[in-house]
Amino acid sequence: MLKLHFINVADGDSILVEALEGPRIFRALVDAGPRRVCPSAGSLRNTAPEYLHQLGIRRLDMLVITHLHMDHFGGLRPLLEGIRVDHVYAGYFPAHPGGQIFCSEKAEKTVRGLTECLNEWSRDTAALLAAGSRLHPLTESIPLALTDRLHAELIVPNRRLQKAQQRCWDRLAQGETVSADALYWTSKSRNPGSLRVRLQYGVRRIELTGDCYGAVWDQETLLPCDILKVPHHGDGKAMTEVLAQKLRPVHGVISCAAEYDARKNRPSLGTMEILSAQGTHIWFTDGYSTQPYTRQRWPAAVFTILEDGTVRTPEGKDGR
């Protein structure tokens, strides 16, 4: 049996994957959500560490950080308080964990935000090493056999882009001068360069997409999937009609806050319409509601896939 917990971290991402085969449970976490989640009336949102602690989880076999935005990795150090993480996969680890990069307050806002994330990630990397986690930097897509039935592919969408990011960030950490244009470009490339995780469990296929915009990968050769974690919190860049036609997801999960974010168009009605045109049933991690989508309240939207391929939805109903 496979359980997928799309944790309600409001505007952020964290997905717990549990494969129950025999007496052992394999557990992986894809992204760690934000460090803090602001409470909201009527919402059951929580942080990823809080959710895992409530389940009594004290060990993860694997953690994947799709990219360096705080809403995807900010909860990592609180997670390490009481939870052991055996293996960590990410597109970038600093050469000197714990080191900090100076950034002038006069620097462009995007560059300041990038520097903040790199410094936080450097501290996180040091904490992971101190906790005994094994770090696996990804420079290309790799397959992983997680259990007898559960197989994964960790996908690097653009190797060239990623290597350019790594070179730039390593130079910055070493105190070298990096142009503002290069820093701005590598900052803006974090979402398009987001790792993706493809899972295959028996006949069922799951796409966990981080924040990788639809236009980045809609020309790839793709097979239909049963569950799609909609990229980038379901905003206007999340999907294209070409991508939706290739994937034809039965279920689409949008990880977003209950409150519509007009500045970011999140979640986008256009994205929902593209998916709905393919017959996709759309779910939200938080209590987002607009016609024809009904309000849903839970600490996580949990899908269960039985060994015979039956998919049990967060509402407890069996489907395809």
Side-chain angles (χ1 to χ4, degrees):
M1 181 170 67
L2 181 71
K3 296 186 79 172
L4 301 165
H5 307 243
F6 296 87
I7 303 172
N8 178 5
V9 294
D11 194 20
D13 263 26
S14 188
I15 303 144
L16 173 65
V17 179
E18 292 186 300
L20 293 77
E21 296 183 19
R24 187 175 180 278
I25 302 176
F26 174 90
R27 291 189 174 98
L29 192 70
V30 180
D31 285 328
R35 181 178 291 270
R36 298 178 185 85
V37 174
C38 295
S40 177
S43 173
L44 297 179
R45 60 181 63 167
N46 45 193
T47 66
E50 288 170 345
Y51 183 76
L52 296 186
H53 283 301
Q54 288 165 9
L55 293 181
I57 293 173
R58 294 294 177 264
R59 177 176 171 267
L60 293 170
D61 296 273
M62 185 172 87
L63 169 66
V64 179
I65 298 298
T66 60
H67 65 294
L68 298 187
H69 273 137
M70 295 295 289
D71 60 326
H72 289 254
F73 79 94
L76 196 155
R77 260 180 295 150
L79 184 79
L80 293 177
E81 297 173 7
I83 298 177
R84 174 180 171 80
V85 181
D86 291 347
H87 297 271
V88 184
Y89 293 83
Y92 174 76
F93 291 102
H96 304 286
Q100 298 293 283
I101 301 166
F102 171 76
C103 182
S104 169
E105 293 181 0
K106 296 179 181 179
E108 196 272 337
K109 180 182 176 182
T110 301
V111 173
R112 294 200 311 272
L114 170 64
T115 304
E116 178 187 353
C117 283
L118 290 175
N119 284 337
E120 187 70 13
W121 183 237
S122 182
R123 290 188 286 265
D124 287 348
T125 302
L128 287 166
L129 289 171
S133 300
R134 292 184 61 185
L135 310 185
H136 304 270
L138 290 177
T139 57
E140 60 184 1
S141 302
I142 62 168
L144 291 173
L146 304 179
T147 70
D148 289 343
R149 292 179 59 84
L150 178 62
H151 295 260
E153 184 179 5
L154 307 187
I155 300 168
V156 175
N158 188 323
R159 293 174 60 189
R160 225 166 170 192
L161 180 151
Q162 188 171 23
K163 286 181 179 179
Q165 278 184 333
Q166 291 171 342
R167 285 195 299 269
C168 179
W169 295 345
D170 280 341
R171 287 180 56 206
L172 189 65
Q174 291 164 8
E176 297 181 25
T177 300
V178 179
S179 72
D181 286 346
L183 289 176
Y184 183 86
W185 176 81
T186 60
S187 177
K188 289 297 186 181
S189 297
R190 283 177 288 175
N191 284 339
S194 172
L195 302 180
R196 306 196 323 264
V197 180
R198 178 173 295 143
L199 299 176
Q200 186 80 36
Y201 184 73
V203 297
R204 299 304 179 197
R205 193 177 184 86
I206 301 108
E207 297 276 359
L208 307 178
T209 61
D211 278 354
C212 195
Y213 302 147
V216 171
W217 54 298
D218 65 0
Q219 296 307 307
E220 294 181 14
T221 300
L222 298 165
L223 295 174
C225 68
D226 297 280
I227 300 173
L228 169 71
K229 202 292 295 185
V230 181
H232 206 222
H233 317 285
D235 76 353
K237 298 176 183 177
M239 295 297 298
T240 66
E241 290 185 2
V242 171
L243 183 59
Q245 288 166 3
K246 287 183 176 182
L247 293 176
R248 300 200 303 277
V250 179
H251 301 279
V253 182
I254 296 179
S255 183
C256 66
E259 305 79 20
Y260 172 71
D261 188 333
R263 183 176 67 87
K264 297 180 179 179
N265 186 22
R266 179 181 295 178
S268 164
L269 186 59
T271 289
M272 290 184 258
E273 289 173 345
I274 288 173
L275 288 167
S276 295
Q278 298 301 318
T280 303
H281 187 127
I282 298 173
W283 306 83
F284 303 94
T285 53
D286 204 7
Y288 180 79
S289 176
T290 184
Q291 293 296 328
Y293 307 102
T294 57
R295 189 174 298 280
Q296 301 151 342
R297 292 190 176 94
W298 36 52
V302 182
F303 289 80
T304 302
I305 303 177
L306 305 181
E307 289 194 3
D308 65 2
T310 299
V311 178
R312 188 162 293 157
T313 71
E315 293 178 336
K317 299 177 181 177
D318 290 351
R320 202 187 96 192

